[in-house]
Amino acid sequence: MTVQTVNTTPIDGQKPGTSGLRKKTRVFMEPGFLENFVQSIFDAIGGGQGKTFVIGGDGRYFNAEAIQTILKMAAANGAARVIVGQGGLLSTPAASHLIRLNNADGGFILSASHNPGGLDEDFGLKFNGANGGPAPEKLTDEMFANTKSISSYKVLEAGDVDLGQLGESQLGDMRVTVVDPVSDYEALMASIFDFEAISALFASGFRMRFDAMHAVTGPYAKAILEGRLGARAGSVVNAVPLPDFGGGHPDPNPIWAKDLMAEMMSTDASDFGAASDGDGDRNMIVGKGAYVTPSDSLAVLAANAHLVPAYKGGLAGVARSMPTSAAVDRVAKAKGLESFETPTGWKFFGNLLDAGRITLCGEESAGTGSDHVREKDGLWAVLMWLNILAVRKASVAEIMTDHWSRFGRDYYSRLDFEAVPSDQANALMSDLIAALDALPGTAANGQTVSAADQFAYSDPVDGSLSEGQGLRLWFESDARAVLRLSGTGTQGATIRLYIETYVDDAASLALDTADVLAPVRNAVFEIAKFQHHIGRTTPDVVT
Ligand code: VG1
Ligand code: CO
């Protein structure tokens, strides 16, 4: 087996976005594309010599082939050892855990997360560091710079590694360990939660439906919920990971998890419903007739965390991404906890978690997590809810009503405008940025802007500054709107508009969200000139 140095030319790599690099699968499959990006990663982290890496993905189309390439490149770059999930599978949180558990130097996670998979859909690759978390911006900037100047990559000329077989093998001088993707993760979950209480809940007849959306969480949910905790057989649906996720979007929200929503809103609903995304880091929580917004879910978990063994000593602090509603801030205030507002993307929570400043964190996009790993963790969030339900012996709807009556309610919604021509989306944003300073005092649709800014974040741990992280508009009516462009799409631009408003009078806690938010929504359409710039005000997805 010889190491080959292959000459190559720079790729049109684009900057890794919110979560790694995402492209159409066919682009990743172009000769040299994946190789260029992987070599750019090795070069950015100071090479692979003597290092240990974790590798796995969400099982989407091209997963297995890409892993073989990365293995051969890791060997050629001098890596000492690689730990791979059997069949090439690892959920993002499980990969994060394996990096930490094995003191690895980092990991390659192959996923485009909630984006659809298949030859004509999306593929993605992200690199996580030794703390188990997504590479910080400084490192992704370096990777990007390397993709533009790269002239060669290294690869070992060798046959494929058998990823179906558990155990050890050699690839050149590199040791390859194929591990069960679930077992270490399951042990971690058992160390956090009261599995006895959750088992007793299921034994009492409690019914749940977990929709794995044909993505990577299936094997984890089957093993833990049905196998270990005794949820009745068939509780986990769409449990077998498929290369195209069965043709759907593995995005756990009421739009893409329609079947689950339909069941949970029906008369024969289970007691508890949940779903996860492509790579297993997101979660959707829904009770009988009661959908829980991710922002509210984070707040409820923060308020009830002390009921879960791993958090019974209390929380160090909490954090949310900027577009996430202020619901968790209210809990933090009541509990006297420090709370942080970070830019979108899990990489911004890493320093706060590492420094012990926060224990729980989350995003409006259905990502919730804690300091047990350095990624958001879908199944962990589901187990948090189950543990809390088991202790409180109340329904999801009762828990929500109780929460709002204590803290008030932050009505919340996100509107996505997808596949907008990039020049139009950019013009909408840049026009609004140019008008930002003059906005306070402006009225539209009966709503008056009280303040407006562009979010910038200065990391409290290392002082690094991240600018241009979204536009914020506050209204005199106690509402807030946020606009930003997605960093995970692969087609044109996606404009995300986030709207929230706070109420705390008892009579207003059970209103229709769309009705409550309509005045502000329409005001934003006017102020940001949606019709003029993109020719529409109807979003593709509302969550
Ligand atoms: C989206 C979400 C963001 C999340 C990111 C990665 O990013 O809004 O909250 O961290 O996806 O999640 P964007 O830039 O498209 O808004 V995952 O589960 O897709 O890795
Ligand atoms: Co994901």
Side-chain angles (χ1 to χ4, degrees):
M1 284 186 259
T2 51
V3 173
Q4 288 211 309
T5 302
V6 184
N7 290 329
T8 185
T9 47
I11 51 172
D12 171 21
Q14 112 194 13
K15 200 177 147 138
T18 319
S19 184
L21 181 65
R22 291 186 197 177
K23 288 277 185 189
K24 288 286 161 202
T25 309
R26 286 186 194 272
V27 174
F28 259 103
M29 292 173 73
E30 280 166 16
F33 186 94
L34 172 70
E35 289 85 345
N36 276 8
F37 186 52
V38 171
Q39 189 64 52
S40 296
I41 294 174
F42 279 122
D43 294 346
I45 62 170
Q49 200 58 42
K51 292 182 178 171
T52 296
F53 297 104
V54 169
I55 304 182
D58 62 12
R60 69 179 61 220
Y61 191 91
F62 194 50
N63 189 57
E65 294 86 338
I67 289 178
Q68 296 292 347
T69 300
I70 299 172
L71 284 171
K72 289 167 198 170
M73 289 186 67
N77 279 276
R81 184 181 180 210
V82 161
I83 298 158
V84 204
Q86 189 178 25
L89 291 183
L90 281 180
S91 75
T92 287
S96 181
H97 178 52
L98 282 178
I99 294 170
R100 297 165 66 78
L101 184 68
N102 294 285
N103 293 317
D105 298 280
F108 294 83
I109 304 175
L110 299 89
S111 173
S113 189
H114 59 290
N115 297 27
L119 179 57
D120 291 310
E121 297 293 351
D122 296 347
F123 193 79
L125 174 61
K126 58 182 168 178
F127 182 80
N128 284 25
N131 73 344
E137 273 196 329
K138 200 170 130 298
L139 204 55
T140 54
D141 284 349
E142 226 168 294
M143 293 171 193
F144 177 49
N146 292 346
T147 63
K148 293 192 290 189
S149 62
I150 189 169
S151 59
S152 67
Y153 63 83
K154 292 201 191 100
V155 64
L156 189 75
E157 224 177 38
D160 284 356
V161 176
D162 182 359
L163 299 180
Q165 229 37 35
L166 292 176
E168 308 272 340
S169 62
Q170 284 292 127
L171 186 62
D173 293 331
M174 185 177 85
R175 183 153 69 101
V176 179
T177 312
V178 177
V179 298
D180 178 82
V182 178
S183 54
D184 287 323
Y185 178 82
E186 183 179 331
L188 176 66
M189 294 300 112
S191 75
I192 295 175
F193 298 105
D194 187 345
F195 270 18
E196 272 179 32
I198 303 174
S199 298
L201 180 71
F202 283 126
S204 75
F206 183 90
R207 282 198 303 143
M208 118 167 244
R209 176 178 166 117
F210 182 97
D211 192 337
M213 305 188 85
H214 294 300
V216 79
T217 325
Y220 295 84
K222 270 251 173 233
I224 297 173
L225 298 175
E226 293 184 17
R228 180 83 177 251
L229 296 170
R232 69 182 65 177
S235 298
V236 180
V237 299
N238 300 323
V240 179
L242 299 175
D244 68 345
F245 307 119
H249 284 227
D251 197 351
N253 62 44
I255 313 288
W256 292 111
K258 294 202 260 330
D259 295 348
L260 175 65
M261 279 304 279
E263 194 222 281
M264 294 307 297
M265 297 302 145
S266 76
T267 47
D268 187 37
S270 299
D271 298 294
F272 184 60
S276 196
D277 72 333
D279 60 330
D281 56 1
R282 296 190 187 195
N283 69 91
M284 179 173 102
I285 300 296
V286 49
K288 218 177 238 182
Y291 169 68
V292 182
T293 70
S295 295
D296 273 348
S297 177
L298 175 62
V300 168
L301 296 189
N304 294 279
H306 59 281
L307 304 177
V308 175
Y311 312 104
K312 67 172 188 289
L315 305 174
V318 294
R320 63 168 170 86
S321 68
M322 182 273 281
T324 305
S325 93
V328 72
D329 302 1
R330 306 184 198 289
V331 176
K333 197 164 169 228
K335 290 190 172 242
L337 298 173
E338 219 182 346
S339 64
F340 299 87
E341 184 178 34
T342 59
T344 294
W346 211 259
K347 59 187 159 203
F348 295 101
F349 294 131
N351 279 343
L352 295 168
L353 290 163
D354 286 347
R357 300 281 291 271
I358 59 169
T359 311
L360 291 193
C361 46
E363 298 192 276
E364 52 66 40
S365 53
T368 334
S370 88
D371 59 359
H372 68 290
V373 288
R374 291 294 178 275
E375 284 279 4
K376 50 191 187 269
D377 189 343
L379 201 47
W380 168 90
V382 171
L383 291 164
M384 280 293 279
W385 268 94
L386 284 170
N387 200 146
I388 291 164
L389 291 167
V391 175
R392 288 191 53 177
K393 304 194 187 336
S395 71
V396 173
E398 285 160 358
I399 286 179
M400 291 320 299
T401 307
D402 174 59
H403 187 88
W404 293 328
S405 67
R406 284 173 63 199
F407 298 98
R409 179 170 180 184
D410 295 89
Y411 284 95
Y412 188 89
S413 192
R414 184 178 100 186
L415 287 64
D416 295 332
F417 298 81
E418 295 174 346
V420 177
S422 294
D423 53 333
Q424 295 180 12
N426 291 333
L428 186 151
M429 293 297 282
S430 57
D431 272 18
L432 194 57
I433 290 169
L436 220 52
D437 290 344
L439 278 186
T442 305
N445 194 43
Q447 298 285 317
T448 307
V449 178
S450 54
D453 75 359
Q454 228 188 129
F455 182 57
Y457 178 67
S458 161
D459 188 303
V461 180
D462 68 14
S464 59
L465 186 69
S466 303
E467 296 183 283
Q469 298 293 332
L471 308 183
R472 303 189 285 189
L473 275 60
W474 289 271
F475 293 84
E476 284 175 3
S477 58
D478 222 356
R480 182 186 78 154
V482 170
L483 287 107
R484 58 178 284 279
L485 297 182
S486 156
T488 60
T490 59
Q491 210 171 3
T494 295
I495 301 172
R496 301 205 197 282
L497 167 60
Y498 314 77
I499 303 174
E500 70 189 273
T501 194
Y502 178 66
V503 296
D504 63 356
D505 61 298
S508 308
L509 296 178
L511 303 174
D512 179 73
T513 299
D515 291 347
V516 173
L517 299 178
V520 180
R521 181 194 63 202
N522 293 335
V524 175
F525 288 157
E526 235 177 84
I527 292 167
K529 304 194 186 73
F530 268 64
Q531 193 63 41
H532 166 76
H533 284 295
I534 67 168
R536 62 179 163 129
T537 56
T538 307
D540 298 281
V541 179
V542 179
T543 52

